[in-house]
Amino acid sequence: MAAKATTTIKQVLNHQAEHGAWFAANQVLFNRVTAFYFGVIQAHEKVLALSDKDALTALEKLTHTTQSNPTPVMPLEEILEDIPALFRRAAINAALGSARSFSSHLQKWRKRKEKAEAKGKGFHERPPVPPRAWNKSATLYAGMWKERAGSSMVMKVWTGTCWSWVKVRIIGRDLPTDAEIGSPQLIRRGNQWWLHTPVEKQFKSPGKIEKQVTTNAQTRMCAVDLNINEHLAVCTIQTVEGTILATTFIGGGRRISGFRKKQLGRIARNRRKTGMIAEGEQDNADLWRKIRQVDEQVAHLVSARIVQFAQAHQASILVFEHLGNLKPEKGKYSCRGNSKRAYWMKGRIFNYAKYKAWHIGVITSRVNPANTSRECHRCHSLVIRYNAGERAEGYTPGASLVRCSHCWMQGHADRNASLVIGQRLIARYQTPLKEKPHAPVRRAGREEKSSGVALSQEAKSKSRPSTDLAGYGESNEHGTAQDGLLRMDERLSDIPCQLRLPFE
Ligand SMILES: [Zn+2]
């Protein structure tokens, strides 16, 4: 089975100083033309009902003067004569994209308004507004560039006074030779100009999980326990036959949570002051944006680290647990908001990891989350969970250590959970044993469902819910049960565990 992956290759341009001014002029013109077409579309909304291809034809007819179309309704010539067709088309497609997005926002707003009014409620949300300023990067369609070699390219730009072919030198990683090259964009970053080129690669998609698990006992899985405490993610690598190969702890949870709490506290104070509860209030809008940005970046960092770890250890399957339901928390606004956002972030980390993993041929699955923290990864009895320095008894949720009074396994609680998560995936494909030497943890909870993300296949659940894994001990794991706690019995990851968080 083949699949496609798109990435963007980013390269810096090395050019004569005056060319920088030309690129800038080119971009200004591109935005003027895009804004012009956005206006044309607003005046002819029916265009949006057409496909991109038909919309392009319709918009050219409305604007482009030819012999057979001597008097278009809104001539583009009013902006500039002799705009190359490919420049025009790139701008039209950019305008179409913006117009479609604006139109869908507007429709959603109208629906919310109707709904509120039907219920007799007041509706104070402001309608979306069309873009006031345009700051798009010019896309160079084939024909606007030529002679693209490893380290140079020739492209046609508007200099401010005329159209000119310019040769630039390209610095940065080369384009892959085995991929389809898309239209590059000319992008400004400070004083630098960059070329961003989308490339589409065909690759062999990973084999189905069932096949990988049932035909090769050496198949490696990377299991991930996502948390809302300090260790945002704890990942373990194990083979299908049960050898544990590596563990990594991805930290930073406390700092991100502290950051969020601080911002949410500020928002709460602002609200008390103004008596406003709308998220859109300007004072708070900035704070919300900041929180969202940081959450987003952290999710990207953590997911990238997970996939990097899986790849470094040649894992071909990534396993998470289903998120379960968000349990509403009582307490201060900042606490409630924080745990809600932490929960959302887990979902994001999963989605991003799944996407990134797919691109390197690693398939992602999810297992039933019930009691993954309460079960011993070695013998599947219930564990004791406690904090360092406390007596090892009972079960303290969130505590960092576990001990099994059955087989004397002891170790880090999240690492144990991660190993159990990995084993649950294997358990799906095991024929359940008839005898159960240990009382297995009752795995309540609902049947797993496919998460519905288009980019992956979910393994089909075939196993019965309580498969005993007594045969899946750690016979190959170095280290013994007694010293498993502090001696990391596996190869330590060479991937740094501390994230540099974006707000630091
Ligand atoms: Zn045990």
Side-chain angles (χ1 to χ4, degrees):
M1 197 172 87
K4 276 180 182 174
T6 311
T7 40
T8 304
I9 307 280
K10 299 173 180 177
Q11 298 162 309
V12 144
L13 296 185
N14 195 349
H15 54 79
Q16 295 173 32
E18 60 171 346
H19 291 168
W22 296 3
F23 299 156
N26 188 70
Q27 183 164 319
V28 168
L29 179 63
F30 186 80
N31 280 293
R32 277 183 67 194
V33 176
T34 305
F36 166 82
Y37 276 106
F38 187 87
V40 176
I41 297 167
Q42 296 307 301
H44 301 83
E45 274 189 42
K46 280 182 184 157
V47 166
L48 289 177
L50 304 173
S51 70
D52 280 355
K53 193 164 160 269
D54 293 343
L56 181 89
T57 312
L59 288 167
E60 291 202 314
K61 191 141 196 226
L62 287 166
T63 58
H64 183 45
T65 313
T66 60
Q67 256 179 350
S68 61
N69 188 31
T71 52
V73 194
M74 297 171 84
L76 177 62
E77 287 156 302
E78 285 174 10
I79 291 187
L80 185 72
E81 282 180 35
D82 300 328
I83 291 176
L86 293 160
F87 187 93
R88 181 179 70 227
R89 286 180 189 158
I92 291 176
N93 282 326
L96 265 173
S98 297
R100 290 200 195 285
S101 154
F102 171 65
S103 154
S104 100
H105 280 117
L106 193 62
Q107 275 169 24
K108 280 181 196 150
W109 175 84
R110 282 187 188 135
K111 275 209 187 105
R112 286 198 297 276
K113 187 165 183 262
E114 275 170 30
K115 216 170 154 187
E117 283 167 354
K119 282 185 187 165
K121 284 185 192 163
F123 186 76
H124 306 294
E125 200 183 317
R126 289 189 207 108
V129 286
R132 272 170 284 225
W134 291 82
N135 190 22
K136 287 191 177 291
S137 297
T139 303
L140 304 171
Y141 281 4
M144 296 299 286
W145 56 271
K146 60 184 181 182
E147 294 163 33
R148 182 156 194 183
S151 60
S152 70
M153 189 176 95
V154 178
M155 56 194 186
K156 194 177 195 175
V157 294
W158 174 251
T159 66
T161 48
C162 66
W163 292 95
S164 175
W165 285 100
V166 183
K167 184 166 184 170
V168 290
R169 284 204 293 139
I170 300 172
I171 302 162
R173 73 171 159 140
D174 286 347
L175 296 179
T177 48
D178 55 347
E180 204 173 305
I181 311 294
S183 296
Q185 273 195 311
L186 190 53
I187 289 181
R188 181 186 215 152
R189 292 264 174 279
N191 291 326
Q192 291 267 18
W193 287 88
W194 291 70
L195 207 56
H196 285 193
T197 311
V199 295
E200 198 173 70
K201 212 170 177 176
Q202 296 260 347
F203 64 92
K204 222 177 134 262
S205 60
K208 286 213 158 64
I209 291 175
E210 182 172 11
K211 194 170 174 216
Q212 290 197 48
V213 168
T214 52
T215 59
N216 181 4
Q218 298 310 313
T219 297
R220 293 178 178 195
M221 300 178 299
C222 174
V224 186
D225 180 43
L226 294 178
N227 286 293
I228 54 175
N229 58 20
E230 168 58 11
H231 296 122
L232 291 169
V234 179
C235 317
T236 51
I237 307 281
Q238 57 189 319
T239 64
V240 165
E241 51 136 36
T243 311
I244 299 169
L245 298 164
T247 299
T248 193
F249 293 83
I250 299 172
R254 259 193 288 278
R255 281 174 300 154
I256 165 82
S257 158
F259 166 82
R260 238 196 251 121
K261 254 190 193 142
K262 209 163 119 193
Q263 308 301 328
L264 288 167
R266 279 186 193 157
I267 290 171
R269 281 196 295 280
N270 285 348
R271 281 183 182 183
R272 275 199 295 275
K273 257 188 274 171
T274 57
M276 285 292 176
I277 39 167
E279 183 170 320
E281 271 320 293
Q282 199 49 49
D283 275 2
N284 285 345
D286 289 346
L287 291 167
W288 278 114
R289 186 151 25 81
K290 225 161 143 186
I291 295 179
R292 268 196 296 268
Q293 268 172 5
V294 168
D295 280 356
E296 182 80 2
Q297 281 169 306
V298 170
H300 270 299
L301 283 171
V302 173
S303 58
R305 202 52 69 70
I306 291 169
V307 174
Q308 213 181 348
F309 177 71
Q311 192 177 26
H313 293 278
Q314 291 110 45
S316 55
I317 302 171
L318 202 55
V319 197
F320 291 82
E321 56 183 356
H322 279 286
L323 274 188
N325 295 322
L326 172 62
K327 293 184 196 88
E329 230 173 280
K330 287 181 186 142
K332 272 167 70 174
Y333 171 77
S334 61
C335 282
R336 277 179 289 133
N338 203 3
S339 62
K340 207 196 293 177
R341 298 205 77 87
Y343 172 84
W344 288 340
M345 183 145 92
K346 280 165 83 172
R348 264 190 214 157
I349 293 173
F350 168 78
N351 282 322
Y352 293 158
K354 183 174 195 169
Y355 182 79
K356 287 170 184 161
W358 179 255
H359 280 193
I360 58 161
V362 171
I363 193 165
T364 302
S365 183
R366 282 202 278 201
V367 298
N368 190 334
N371 295 324
T372 45
S373 305
R374 291 181 182 256
E375 186 177 325
C376 167
H377 77 268
R378 195 190 301 242
C379 75
H380 303 277
S381 311
L382 290 172
V383 293
I384 293 163
R385 189 166 182 180
Y386 61 105
N387 280 307
E390 288 172 9
R391 282 177 62 120
E393 58 185 18
Y395 189 92
T396 312
S400 62
L401 300 175
V402 284
R403 173 180 290 180
C404 173
S405 45
H406 215 102
C407 72
W408 301 108
M409 180 282 297
Q410 56 180 9
H412 193 283
D414 297 332
R415 173 180 176 265
N416 179 63
S418 161
L419 289 166
V420 172
I421 289 168
Q423 290 166 350
R424 279 212 183 157
L425 183 73
I426 301 170
R428 268 187 204 168
Y429 304 103
Q430 299 291 317
T431 325
L433 298 175
K434 277 180 193 139
E435 285 189 43
K436 291 176 182 163
H438 311 295
V441 176
R442 200 172 62 85
R443 289 180 195 145
R446 61 209 157 76
E447 194 58 25
E448 288 141 40
K449 271 187 225 146
S450 150
S451 71
V453 175
L455 272 166
S456 178
Q457 327 152 282
E458 290 273 341
K460 286 188 194 86
S461 174
K462 281 199 172 166
S463 73
R464 299 224 301 259
S466 72
T467 304
D468 189 69
L469 279 177
Y472 273 76
E474 299 179 294
S475 52
N476 291 324
E477 195 180 3
H478 320 291
T480 60
Q482 282 73 26
D483 65 4
L485 170 56
L486 294 173
R487 216 180 93 190
M488 266 299 126
D489 36 0
E490 320 91 23
R491 198 143 62 86
L492 268 176
S493 163
D494 45 4
I495 295 166
C497 296
Q498 281 304 315
L499 298 174
R500 281 194 61 184
L501 298 179
F503 52 85
E504 293 176 320

